[in-house]
Amino acid sequence: MARVGPDRASVAAADRVLAGVSRLGSRMRAERPRTGLSLAVLGVLLRLSVRGTMTTGGLAASLRVAPQSMTRIVAGMAENGLIERGPDPNDRRQILVSLTETGRRVFDEDTRARRAWLAAAMDAELTTAERDLLRVAGDLMVRLADWEPPTH
């Protein structure tokens, strides 16, 4: 009989990862400065910071929000000087979005306190080997976040 779904070990590991990600995520949100930036805006700033210029549709898919919602978010960000929009030279129907210097500065300021707290906690609580392991785990979590189940 073919196995259906993940095995028990995978489910147990998923439970531990979920608990860790949830608790660390809550703590990282608590360490955020009170900038007034929404998590959606921070998500766009993060994607553009890591991936570079993207289409509005690509941002929406990456953040798992409706294209109409992303259009509103991007419009507000452009109005505030955080991003620039322009036509895609290869497909005029698409809008390319890129980070401005102001957007990069705002993103860096928002992440500075969280990065400092996390680095201090890692230095205080983890061995060098554990820090190395956590870096690898971070890479794996990014990979998992981008995984999509195969379509049949």
Side-chain angles (χ1 to χ4, degrees):
M1 175 179 258
R3 191 181 69 163
V4 177
D7 64 25
R8 285 184 180 173
S10 293
V11 171
D15 285 344
R16 293 299 302 151
V17 170
L18 183 58
V21 167
S22 295
R23 288 190 61 194
L24 186 57
S26 293
R27 180 62 189 260
M28 297 308 295
R29 282 187 297 280
E31 295 296 326
R32 277 190 67 218
R34 303 289 180 235
T35 60
L37 295 177
S38 72
L39 292 179
V41 168
L42 284 174
V44 171
L45 292 175
L46 172 63
R47 292 308 186 289
L48 295 175
S49 177
V50 170
R51 296 184 182 174
T53 301
M54 295 178 70
T55 65
T56 304
L59 281 167
S62 157
L63 291 167
R64 295 187 178 8
V65 300
Q68 300 85 347
S69 296
M70 185 54 62
T71 298
R72 285 191 300 276
I73 293 165
V74 164
M77 292 177 72
E79 203 172 284
N80 291 321
L82 301 174
I83 53 116
E84 292 177 335
R85 296 179 291 182
D88 183 336
N90 299 319
D91 183 352
R92 293 286 189 194
R93 298 169 296 170
Q94 297 289 326
I95 300 295
L96 291 177
V97 180
S98 58
L99 203 54
T100 63
E101 283 305 314
T102 299
R104 182 163 306 284
R105 188 186 81 254
V106 165
F107 178 71
D108 288 346
E109 288 169 5
D110 190 88
T111 58
R112 186 175 296 121
R114 288 178 288 158
R115 186 181 303 121
W117 175 86
L118 185 56
M122 289 169 65
D123 281 349
E125 291 293 320
L126 304 178
T127 65
T128 300
E130 288 171 328
R131 285 192 303 271
D132 290 343
L133 184 60
L134 196 54
R135 181 191 49 76
V136 171
D139 291 342
L140 295 174
M141 285 186 275
V142 168
R143 216 168 91 200
L144 288 173
D146 291 337
W147 181 78
E148 295 291 341
T151 57
H152 292 49

